[in-house]
Amino acid sequence: MRSSIADKEDVKKKLTITIEVDPDAGEITVKDDAGNERPVKSIVVFGGDAEQGILYLFGWGASADAAWAYKEGFLHANDCDDAHMKNFYKQCACHLAQCLCPRAFRQEVDPEELVDQWEAEDREQGTWH
């Protein structure tokens, strides 16, 4: 796997990242001024300021490719022992869990009870593959 994750120690000056989306050709190219260039099938860019409630979100391409990249980023963070990226993925997991089941963080639910509830909800919705 080729990655272009910037090392925070190396980024001491302004960094420019360019995303070129050609919808007619279905091509996306990501370039940075460090010389990295990658053709990708999808891109998701998000940023925020939680204190101010500011969100920036842009996505293009196949969601499956973006989700695969997210997973690969998680594996990369664990393989290279990147504390900042590990913390990012832990924070993502906490926010997703809180969205899916707000009571879980309030410890108002027993884990086995929650699994039983989710299984019952799945049965109500029918079979999925």
Side-chain angles (χ1 to χ4, degrees), residues 3-108:
S3 175
S4 62
I5 295 177
D7 182 356
K8 284 150 212 64
E9 298 296 321
D10 292 338
V11 181
K12 295 184 190 232
K13 62 179 178 86
K14 186 176 180 179
L15 174 67
T16 301
I17 299 171
T18 304
I19 300 168
E20 295 178 357
V21 177
D22 183 344
D24 294 332
E27 296 175 353
I28 305 165
T29 305
V30 181
K31 302 174 187 177
D32 64 34
D33 55 8
N36 298 303
E37 182 174 334
R38 301 284 188 275
V40 295
K41 296 288 183 187
S42 67
I43 189 89
V44 176
V45 178
F46 55 92
D49 180 336
E51 289 181 15
Q52 299 295 318
I54 297 170
L55 171 68
Y56 176 82
L57 184 60
F58 170 82
W60 193 272
S63 59
D65 291 317
W68 174 87
Y70 179 86
K71 182 255 316 180
E72 288 297 314
F74 172 79
L75 295 174
H76 175 81
N78 283 304
D79 289 346
C80 72
D81 204 30
D82 184 332
H84 295 285
M85 289 301 287
K86 280 184 180 181
N87 188 51
F88 165 75
Y89 283 102
K90 285 179 186 177
Q91 291 291 323
C92 287
C94 287
H95 284 285
L96 288 171
Q98 192 172 22
C99 287
L100 295 171
C101 183
R103 296 180 300 159
F105 282 100
R106 294 186 201 117
Q107 299 189 14
E108 297 174 3

Side-chain angles (χ1 to χ4, degrees), residues 101 103-104 109-123:
C101 183
R103 296 180 300 159
V109 65
D110 176 80
E112 290 179 25
E113 186 179 306
L114 184 58
V115 169
D116 290 343
Q117 176 187 332
W118 286 343
E119 287 175 347
E121 290 171 1
D122 285 346
R123 282 191 298 274

